[in-house]
Amino acid sequence: FNRLNDDYNMGLLNNNLVRHMQDELFNGFDFINDWPEIVAIANPRTRQRAHVQFVEKAKKYIWTSKKTDKDGCYVHIGHDDMNRPRIFYSRECNPIGYPFTETEVKASYLNVDMFDKEEVE
């Protein structure tokens, strides 16, 4: 959308923009069923929230530390009693954890740079 808008200086709901978006994205989207998500992601005012809701929602990761402690044990992100991300130390010395999105981890003020992440379904 940003490129098309810059090239053609079109508003979000301009018919020409819709046609160009269909041409550019035709293979990756169902324009009938995915239209609300497409418009929400294209609109600069709703893009961040839509990205979290429609794109990142499906991307959850298991978060483990990049290094181990002196005993070879990992630090990982698990969940507390309220299902929020929290740092835990693995007693079994193997990388275990619970899936969280990157937004959930950042909202808990955990430093994502300390961890490796592995995507899970």
Side-chain angles (χ1 to χ4, degrees):
F1 171 77
N2 288 342
R3 186 177 53 74
L4 292 172
N5 192 40
D6 289 344
D7 290 348
Y8 300 103
N9 194 23
M10 296 185 276
L12 182 62
L13 298 179
N14 182 298
N15 288 337
N16 291 326
L17 175 63
V18 173
R19 188 173 69 245
H20 284 291
M21 285 174 59
Q22 286 177 325
D23 293 344
E24 298 259 339
L25 303 174
F26 181 73
N27 293 329
F29 295 95
D30 176 348
F31 272 82
I32 294 170
N33 294 322
D34 295 337
W35 187 245
E37 291 89 346
I38 292 167
V39 171
I41 291 170
N43 184 345
R45 290 180 163 262
T46 59
R47 182 173 296 153
Q48 180 60 35
R49 192 182 81 200
H51 177 79
V52 171
Q53 185 178 0
F54 300 121
V55 177
E56 189 179 327
K57 181 179 182 180
K59 291 187 177 184
K60 293 204 173 199
Y61 305 93
I62 298 290
W63 301 82
T64 56
S65 63
K66 294 181 177 182
K67 297 180 181 179
T68 58
D69 66 11
K70 63 182 173 70
D71 298 322
C73 296
Y74 290 89
V75 176
H76 65 276
I77 297 178
H79 63 77
D80 62 12
D81 294 340
M82 297 180 71
N83 204 29
R84 295 175 299 199
R86 189 178 138 211
I87 291 178
F88 288 91
Y89 294 90
S90 173
R91 292 189 182 108
E92 293 83 23
C93 297
N94 59 0
I96 59 172
Y98 296 89
F100 291 104
T101 65
E102 192 160 338
T103 299
E104 290 172 316
V105 172
K106 285 181 178 178
S108 296
Y109 300 103
L110 298 175
N111 182 359
V112 295
D113 295 332
M114 291 176 48
F115 298 92
D116 288 320
K117 62 183 181 182
E118 180 180 339
E119 189 170 353
V120 294
E121 292 184 25

